[in-house]
């Protein structure tokens, strides 16, 4: 009798352990899913319209294309046969499974700040997702960048290893905010300027970064250069929806970050991010003489052009292009239209047009905007297929001159050409002519 | 004369039908060349031409023609592009340029009813199609997905695939009419439209700027210009400002080449293996009729004598009135909804079926012009305009025309255009069938006006009908080569390598806008042309 | 004759922004048909006063005012005295509107009739000048689109966000 009872007791305990284990596993996977969202792993590790975490996405860098690896649970092509230590080493130390140095396109200089348990939770989540049985292309940068051991030098200059420790002087919200900003969401990867060796210049943390085709703006609380004139709630709304009326609307890589990651975070996380951001050291910028969202006013240029003859129109190419291409949605005066989620933004009092550098205006004109949000699609078409390089320059300069920061109105066709080619965008059509087919 | 241009398939006319056919054939690996008589049309210029025009009601204003490719114009005066010879006018209006006339359409993308294709067998009038609805149905689906057609109800046209996009919700005022007219048996419903209800295919959703005619400023509405661009990007060579005036066949009936005039009146000869004619229901028969020779004294593809005959459109009757409540017509897209449950029935043996559009064109300009003419100004004008604009309702009924051989376009023997090409004469006469349809539309209109508490109702006159720019019948499809021009695969009976598609080959007009059907036929035709390569 | 793209036009003629050169370069049929705008002239007090009366607005649009007055200044001899005459006529018979106004105007010289028509057409529709070649001098700011606010605005401009039309306008213009 007794051995049966003991066996039964052991079985019950084991079962309870298994249930508890399963419950623990489920909780860990759920946490891992949340952390993977916050860290936006999918941004670099999922190909456009491809299977989740299957790799196949190329990150464009000045050195060439770096392929995000397959991090699905696949044993051959993904992380399915990786140990916990190997996974943590990759994420936090920038060391691959075979001990090779990883390019810091993988932002391990941010992820080093993550807690080990959090990294393992992400691993558990990834392992719970379907395997993608397909190799991601090998990264093959030109010499000397294909010498991975060179990353040791990069790390020597730029890599501050180590988990973030709680600052006991600060609130739990602030600490959570810092963890989200500096570790998980790795905002600095885009928003912190780079030094000569392309490491983050942490003396100027979050003072703005140049991503080639897009500017990641200064998000320190500086009142002219950064987000000093944003309220807490405005920041939260922006992170959640990508749009704050008469202030900002997200485009390019930030639109993607909001679409894939930030819109899914709980409201409390967004509040904490805002709390933290509003506390960092303000970084000034001599170029940005007034807050980016404080520029511009409604324009009468279009109404003045109404009924004008060809000579007058020819003298104002930017206004003419704006009238024919932009005013329908953005208003004849540039004030936008509508309200709510699908509103068309005003072009004045907009952080992109008020920035001292018009790069984002040009890139938005070329690429359009597409935010695939839970509430619906926010969509502006690309104009690369419609407008020539000179036309893009003309209309961008008109927009910044009329609605934004006139100092930024110096885009030229050559700059546009470079952006168009880098992003491999379309060009306007060329039809044959009857006399010259 | 230069004659180095050649391709597997030569397409004449870069409108929506030709361009989507060309796109399909290019994607299947054929080399395709499209010749377009008019210039490249650019959207941003068209938008600004509209805004700068003193004739905002003239839909051709955004599309100034080139001297070698004239097109009909009526405002401020009629240019008599078509020389009217019949008792009733045929006021076709269309565009010659890349993308064609759908640059200024209202995007209504209806399918035919299965019965629309069998009115001779069912009702003893008109002609049957030589193909069934089921044979055309897959091409309807393809056309809808290409164009991004939004809709909800199938409106009694069976579907094998759902609409690609959800229907565009009705404007407030339309909902009010739907609620009030429904109990009388008039079912107001969302119309199927080639207009994005959500972002689709790299184009935004409709924003309701109420300018579908004459140009959608944002390409939420699909049009031939989008199709032409896609064709170009897919590798189709498109030559603009190339006015085809002759199709050349050998004695065996094989088409060898087409000839065009350029901007300098120089001639060019273009060769190919298969030839496609999609230059619209008037310009296409013109080219066929021009292509006379000893072997083909009546022109190309015309052994039946039917080319140019059986000319049809949708004669339109209408009523306008002020409703007894504000409905604010003019907000949203121009043609979002209609009454579609009067399109079929045994009555079609006696009189035309009806389809009634609720016209959502903003009435502000029209009402202002009228009030100004009536001598109002200042506050009195403002008060009246505000009242009228809030309550104005216009209903437009499309009637079904029948194919009658004497209704036709023919070449003038004396008049030529600026490039020396003979102009067209048109003979047109409405049959009693249409007038009896008008009579029914008046009965229905009166009931609706009464139900809506309508005041100051103005009804259109019997015999005086709008033209709806749906050119059909002139190169009629049929199984008998003696009384038709093309067969059920859009191949001309007379020439094995000449295909015709678009609305001009339709043997019946029905009561729905014809573009979706013309486009589906073009996609079907592309399969035939490809199979012949 | 070539169809020039705007880009070629700009890079090729960057230094030649002169109307004469341009009309050679662009095919006449594609050039915007409007004649040059009249040189800007500040509207007179007579014009401003009658415009308030003719539009029923306390503050008619200033840009359209200048545009319309400048056109009239170019085309109407003794403009201001004509405006005063018209103004006096309307003030004598303030109730004349609609057919009674047409009757009243019918007793006046053609020039005064034409002036009245041009003023009303210019303000309400942005169109001036006789057939067959009238001129559009305004569109976005014409009076006819100011009167049904939030709802019936100039076409080709988005009045709101997608699907706004499913709801009635926020404000009713007329009870």
């Amino acid at each position: 009798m007794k051995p049966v009872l003991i066996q039964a007791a052991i079985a019950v305990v084991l079962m309870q352990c298994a249930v508890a284990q399963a419950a623990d596993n489920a909780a860990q996977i759920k946490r891992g899913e949340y952390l993977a969202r916050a860290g936006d792993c999918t941004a670099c590790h999922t190909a456009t319209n491809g299977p989740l975490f299957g790799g196949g996405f190329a990150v464009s860098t000045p050195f060439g294309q770096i392929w995000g690896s397959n991090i699905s649970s696949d044993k051959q092509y993904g992380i399915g046969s990786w140990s916990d230590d190997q996974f943590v080493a990759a994420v936090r130390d920038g060391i691959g499974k075979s001990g090779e140095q990883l390019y810091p396109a993988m932002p391990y200089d941010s992820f080093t700040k993550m807690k080990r348990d959090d990294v393992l939770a992400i691993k558990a989540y990834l392992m719970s997702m379907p395997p993608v049985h397909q190799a991601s292309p090998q990264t093959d940068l030109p010499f000397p960048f294909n010498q991975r051991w060179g990353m040791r030098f990069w790390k020597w200059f730029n890599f501050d290893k180590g988990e973030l420790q709680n600052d006991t002087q600060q609130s739990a919200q602030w600490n959570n905010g810092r963890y989200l900003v500096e570790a998980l969401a790795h905002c600095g990867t885009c928003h912190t300027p780079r030094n000569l060796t392309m490491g983050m210049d942490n003396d100027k943390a979050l003072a703005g970064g140049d991503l080639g085709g897009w500017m990641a703006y200064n998000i320190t609380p500086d009142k002219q250069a950064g987000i000093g004139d944003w309220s807490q709630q405005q920041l939260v709304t922006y992170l959640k929806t990508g749009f704050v009326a008469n202030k900002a609307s997200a485009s390019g890589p930030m639109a993607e970050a909001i679409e894939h990651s930030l819109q899914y975070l709980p409201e409390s996380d967004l509040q904490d991010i805002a709390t933290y951001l509003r506390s960092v050291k303000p970084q000034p910028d001599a170029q940005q003489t007034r807050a980016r969202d404080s520029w511009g006013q409604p324009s009468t240029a279009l109404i003045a052009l109404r009924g004008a003859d060809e000579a007058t129109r020819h003298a104002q190419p930017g206004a003419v292009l704006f009238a024919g291409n932009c005013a329908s949605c953005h208003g004849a005066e540039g004030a936008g239209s509508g309200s709510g989620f699908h509103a068309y933004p005003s072009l004045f009092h907009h952080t992109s047009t008020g920035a001292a550098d018009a790069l984002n205006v040009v890139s938005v004109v070329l690429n359009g905007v597409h935010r695939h949000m839970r509430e619906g699609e926010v969509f502006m078409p690309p104009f690369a297929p419609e407008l020539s390089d000179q036309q893009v320059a003309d209309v961008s300069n008109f927009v910044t001159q009329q609605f934004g920061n006139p100092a930024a109105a110096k885009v030229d066709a050559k700059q546009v050409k470079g952006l168009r080619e880098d992003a491999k965008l379309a060009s306007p059509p060329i039809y044959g002519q009857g006399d010259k087919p | 004369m230069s004659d180095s241009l050649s391709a597997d398939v030569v397409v004449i006319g870069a409108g929506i039908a030709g361009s989507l056919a060309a796109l399909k054939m290019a994607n299947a690996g054929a080399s395709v060349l499209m010749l377009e008589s008019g210039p490249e049309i650019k959207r941003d210029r068209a938008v600004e031409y509209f805004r700068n025009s003193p004739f905002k009601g003239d839909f051709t204003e955004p599309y100034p023609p080139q001297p070698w490719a004239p097109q009909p114009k009526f405002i401020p005066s009629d240019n008599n592009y078509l020389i009217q010879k019949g008792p009733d006018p045929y006021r076709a209006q269309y565009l010659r340029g890349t993308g064609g006339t759908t640059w200024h359409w209202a995007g209504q993308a209806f399918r035919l009813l299965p019965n629309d294709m069998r009115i001779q067998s069912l009702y003893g009038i008109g002609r049957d199609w030589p193909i069934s609805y089921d044979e055309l149905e897959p091409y309807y689906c393809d056309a809808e997905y290409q164009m991004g057609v939004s809709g909800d109800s199938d409106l009694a046209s069976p579907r094998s695939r759902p609409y690609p996009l959800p229907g565009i919700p009705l404007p407030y005022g339309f909902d009010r009419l739907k609620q009030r007219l429904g109990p009388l048996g008039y079912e107001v419903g969302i119309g199927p439209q080639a207009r994005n209800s959500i972002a689709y295919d790299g184009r935004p959703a409709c924003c309701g700027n109420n300018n579908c005619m004459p140009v959608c400023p944002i390409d939420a509405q699909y049009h031939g210009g989008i199709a032409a661009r896609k064709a170009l990007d897919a590798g189709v060579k498109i030559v603009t400002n190339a006015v085809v005036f002759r199709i050349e066949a050998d004695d065996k009936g094989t088409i060898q080449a087409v000839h065009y005039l350029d901007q300098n009146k120089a001639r060019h000869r273009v060769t190919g293996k298969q030839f496609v004619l999609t230059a619209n229901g008037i310009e296409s028969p013109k080219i066929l009729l021009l292509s006379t020779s000893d072997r083909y004294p009546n022109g190309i593809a015309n052994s039946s004598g039917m080319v140019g005959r059986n000319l049809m459109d949708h004669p339109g009757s209408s009523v306008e009135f002020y409703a007894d409540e504000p409905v604010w017509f003019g907000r949203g897209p121009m043609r979002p909804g209609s009454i579609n449950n009067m399109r079929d029935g045994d009555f079609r043996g006696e009189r035309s079926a009806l389809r009634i559009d609720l016209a959502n064109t903003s009435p502000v300009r029209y009402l202002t012009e009228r009030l100004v003419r009536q001598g109002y100004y200042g506050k009195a004008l403002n008060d009246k305009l505000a009242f009228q604009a809030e309550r104005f309702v216009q209903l437009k009924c499309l009637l079904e025309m029948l194919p009658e051989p004497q209704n036709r376009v023919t070449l003038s023997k004396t008049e030529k255009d600026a490039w020396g090409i003979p102009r067209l004469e048109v003979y047109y006469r409405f049959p009693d069938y249409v007038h009896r349809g008008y009579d029914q539309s008046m009965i229905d209109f009166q009931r609706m006006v009464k139900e809506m508490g309508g005041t100051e109702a103005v009804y259109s006159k019997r015999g005086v009908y709008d033209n709806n720019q749906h050119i059909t019948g002139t190169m009629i499809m049929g199984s008998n080569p003696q009384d038709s021009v093309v067969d059920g695969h859009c191949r001309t009976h007379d020439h094995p390598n000449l295909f015709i598609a678009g609305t001009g080959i339709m043997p019946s007009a029905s009561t729905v806008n014809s573009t979706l059907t013309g486009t589906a036929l073009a996609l079907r035709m592309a399969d035939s042309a490809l199979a012949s390569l | 004759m070539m169809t020039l793209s705007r880009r070629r036009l700009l890079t090729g003629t960057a230094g030649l922004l002169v109307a004469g050169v341009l009309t050679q370069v662009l095919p006449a049929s594609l050039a915007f048909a409007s004649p040059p705008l009249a040189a800007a002239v500040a509207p007179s007090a007579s014009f401003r006063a009658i415009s308030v009366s003719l539009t029923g607005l306390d503050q008619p649009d200033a840009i359209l005012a200048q545009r319309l007055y400048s056109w009239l200044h170019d085309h109407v001899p003794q403009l201001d005295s004509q405006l005063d005459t018209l103004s006096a006529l309307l003030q004598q018979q303030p109730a004349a509107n609609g057919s009674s106004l047409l009757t009243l105007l019918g007793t006046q010289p053609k020039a005064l009739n034409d002036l009245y028509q041009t003023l009303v057409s210019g303000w309400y529709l942005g169109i001036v000048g006789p057939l067959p070649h009238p001129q559009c001098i305004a569109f976005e700011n014409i009076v006819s689109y100011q009167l049904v606010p939030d709802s019936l605005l100039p076409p080709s401009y988005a009045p709101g966000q997608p699907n706004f039309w499913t709801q009635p306008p926020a404000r009713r213009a007329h009870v």
Side-chain angles (χ1 to χ4, degrees), chain B residues 481-503:
Chain B
Q482 291 186 332
D483 69 4
S484 61
V485 176
V486 298
D487 67 16
H489 292 282
C490 309
R491 187 195 305 265
T492 57
H493 291 301
D494 295 349
H495 310 282
N497 68 338
L498 176 62
F499 298 85
I500 309 179
T503 58

Side-chain angles (χ1 to χ4, degrees), chain B residues 7 40 72 74 128 171 189 217 226 242 270 277-278 294 309 314 321 324 337 425 439 477 479 514 522:
Chain B
E40 176 187 4
F74 302 97
D128 284 350
I226 298 167
V270 178
L277 183 56
T278 46
D294 290 338
R309 293 188 184 271
H314 290 117
F321 60 93
D324 61 8
E425 295 178 352
D439 294 335
M477 182 192 264
S479 41
S514 39

Side-chain angles (χ1 to χ4, degrees), chain B residues 402-455:
Chain B
L402 293 179
E404 297 190 345
Q406 85 274 0
N407 290 338
R408 64 191 298 210
V409 288
T410 50
L411 296 174
S412 168
K413 292 185 174 42
T414 53
E415 307 304 308
K416 294 193 194 314
D417 69 18
W419 249 234
I421 295 174
R423 291 170 57 195
L424 286 168
E425 295 178 352
V426 61
Y427 179 97
Y428 200 58
R429 189 184 67 92
F430 297 115
D432 278 343
Y433 187 80
V434 168
H435 299 314
R436 288 194 289 270
Y438 165 89
D439 294 335
Q440 180 60 41
S441 75
M442 289 301 128
I443 293 170
D444 292 308
F445 281 155
Q446 279 158 15
R447 291 180 70 205
M448 292 184 222
V449 169
K450 181 152 180 271
E451 175 54 40
M452 292 302 299
T455 53

Side-chain angles (χ1 to χ4, degrees), chain A residues 221-264:
Chain A
D222 190 278
K223 283 217 177 333
Q224 283 78 42
I227 48 150
D229 69 334
W230 289 56
S231 71
Q232 174 90 359
Q233 193 50 48
Q234 283 170 336
L235 285 170
V236 170
T237 301
Y238 183 77
L239 295 172
K240 192 188 197 52
T241 68
F243 177 55
V244 178
N246 296 309
K247 213 166 186 76
S249 56
S251 53
M254 188 59 185
E256 286 171 9
I258 292 170
E259 177 183 319
H260 293 136
S261 168
L262 297 165
Q263 70 164 321
Y264 295 104

Side-chain angles (χ1 to χ4, degrees), chain A residues 5 33 74 105 138 141 146 166 184 191 295 300 319 333 356 371:
Chain A
L5 275 173
E33 181 184 9
D74 191 83
Q138 292 296 324
L141 298 184
N146 55 355
N166 250 16
L184 283 172
H191 284 278
W295 294 84
T300 53
E333 299 177 317
R371 298 196 301 271

